[in-house]
Amino acid sequence: MGSGASTQQKGGATPVTRVAPVSQAVSEANTVTLTSANPEDPVLRNRSFAKIGSLTDRATSEQVLAALLEGNGRFLRGASARPHQDFKRIQQISEKQMPHSAILGCADSRVPAEIIFDQGFGDVFVCRVAGNIATPEEIASLEYAVLDLGVKVVMVLGHSKCGAVKAALSGKAFPGFIDTLVDNIDVAIARIDGTGGVKARQAVREGNMEVLENVVRENVKYQIHRCQRSTIIQEGIQKRTLLLVGAVYSLDTGKVNVIVTKGGLNDGDEK
């Protein structure tokens, strides 16, 4: 991977995310990836524990993002190293946690952040709520991760076929407190077209799943916008010590695609 953040390509081409190589920030440069080896081999797995995921406190936000994306790459290849998932790690962090990133993700049971990014105990500070909505409570948790825990990446992680987004697009009234969830997605729906979301809702009712996925992406961008209202997060972005990232996970392929970045050493924008 190259250095930098995300770039917008012209002509509607597939966007490319460029991040600094994670090898610059690990304690041992020659990382074992298990790509062509048997991921269940205990010898290789023990070697990988010492190297994969060993980000130092000198790692840049781009390198932290690179580590997450490399972990997703291992997951996709069926070569997950599952670092930091033993009892020794539990003992190491029992007194203090020092995660390198924070993820605001959907509560959907099919999107466990630690698994899809191949991370372990103490690596990722995870907040989960249906629709990955940035409510004041969720933002407060992310602020804590930035201010007290020193995370270098804050990611809003949406996913394909999101049930919360689909519910919001239905236009139906829901019992209990469910309406409070869909209300937070309505702005993203309205941003899809110039009709306040009328066309988008109609299209989904007619079975147009492309519109649903467009709203999923727009919802991630909108929740990123809400996160930027935090003075703590905004300060980290302005100082280039924090990277605010919007991404979408595919339930079909298992791949995480970054769609927007804010901050970091090389400030990017949406793809």
Side-chain angles (χ1 to χ4, degrees):
M1 295 183 180
S3 61
S6 64
T7 59
Q8 172 74 44
Q9 292 189 325
K10 296 181 180 180
T14 301
V16 177
T17 297
R18 297 186 175 89
V19 289
V22 67
S23 58
Q24 296 177 8
V26 296
S27 57
E28 294 186 66
N30 299 319
T31 302
V32 177
T33 61
L34 309 182
T35 305
S36 59
N38 177 9
E40 298 304 324
D41 187 309
V43 176
L44 291 175
R45 185 167 300 286
N46 286 337
R47 289 177 186 171
S48 71
F49 278 158
K51 300 179 180 182
I52 293 176
S54 55
L55 288 168
T56 71
D57 57 5
R58 292 173 298 181
T60 66
S61 54
E62 286 82 6
Q63 289 165 339
V64 170
L65 177 58
L68 290 172
L69 297 180
E70 287 177 7
N72 182 238
R74 294 192 299 271
F75 169 72
L76 289 171
R77 296 191 301 270
S80 294
R82 295 189 282 278
H84 297 162
Q85 294 185 22
D86 57 359
F87 187 68
K88 179 181 178 181
R89 176 63 169 175
I90 293 175
Q91 293 177 312
Q92 286 177 339
I93 62 172
S94 64
E95 296 299 326
K96 181 175 176 59
Q97 61 171 322
M98 295 182 66
H100 50 64
S101 53
I103 297 177
L104 171 56
C106 184
D108 193 299
S109 61
R110 299 166 292 180
V111 195
E114 290 89 347
I115 294 177
I116 65 177
F117 287 112
D118 194 23
Q119 302 296 305
F121 289 110
D123 292 332
V124 186
F125 185 86
V126 182
C127 306
R128 296 180 69 175
V129 60
N132 42 272
I133 55 177
T135 65
E137 294 80 7
E138 298 291 343
I139 294 175
S141 293
L142 296 176
E143 288 179 330
Y144 167 73
V146 173
L147 194 62
D148 194 63
L149 304 181
V151 300
K152 297 182 179 180
V153 169
V154 169
M155 177 183 289
V156 175
L157 181 64
H159 67 90
S160 62
K161 307 175 187 177
C162 182
V165 172
K166 191 173 183 179
L169 280 163
S170 73
K172 298 178 181 177
F174 295 92
F177 290 92
I178 298 176
D179 274 342
T180 63
L181 291 173
V182 299
D183 287 347
N184 283 280
I185 303 175
D186 282 345
V187 174
I189 296 172
R191 289 167 65 163
I192 288 296
D193 56 49
T195 66
V198 174
K199 289 183 179 179
R201 290 186 171 91
Q202 181 61 34
V204 171
R205 282 195 292 269
E206 293 172 354
N208 189 332
M209 292 299 101
E210 182 179 352
V211 172
L212 172 61
E213 300 311 320
N214 287 341
V215 177
V216 165
R217 290 170 59 90
E218 193 62 40
N219 183 50
V220 168
K221 295 175 185 177
Y222 174 57
Q223 304 309 330
I224 286 286
H225 175 72
R226 288 177 62 88
C227 287
Q228 286 183 271
R229 298 176 184 175
S230 161
T231 56
I232 293 171
I233 292 176
Q234 192 60 39
E235 182 178 3
I237 292 173
Q238 292 172 350
K239 289 182 176 180
R240 309 294 196 195
T241 58
L242 180 69
L243 193 60
L244 181 60
V245 180
V248 176
Y249 172 77
S250 171
L251 293 180
D252 293 320
T253 68
K255 182 176 176 59
V256 173
N257 290 298
V258 173
I259 62 172
V260 57
T261 60
K262 301 285 185 180
L265 296 177
N266 296 281
D267 192 21
D269 207 329
E270 68 182 56
K271 294 180 174 183

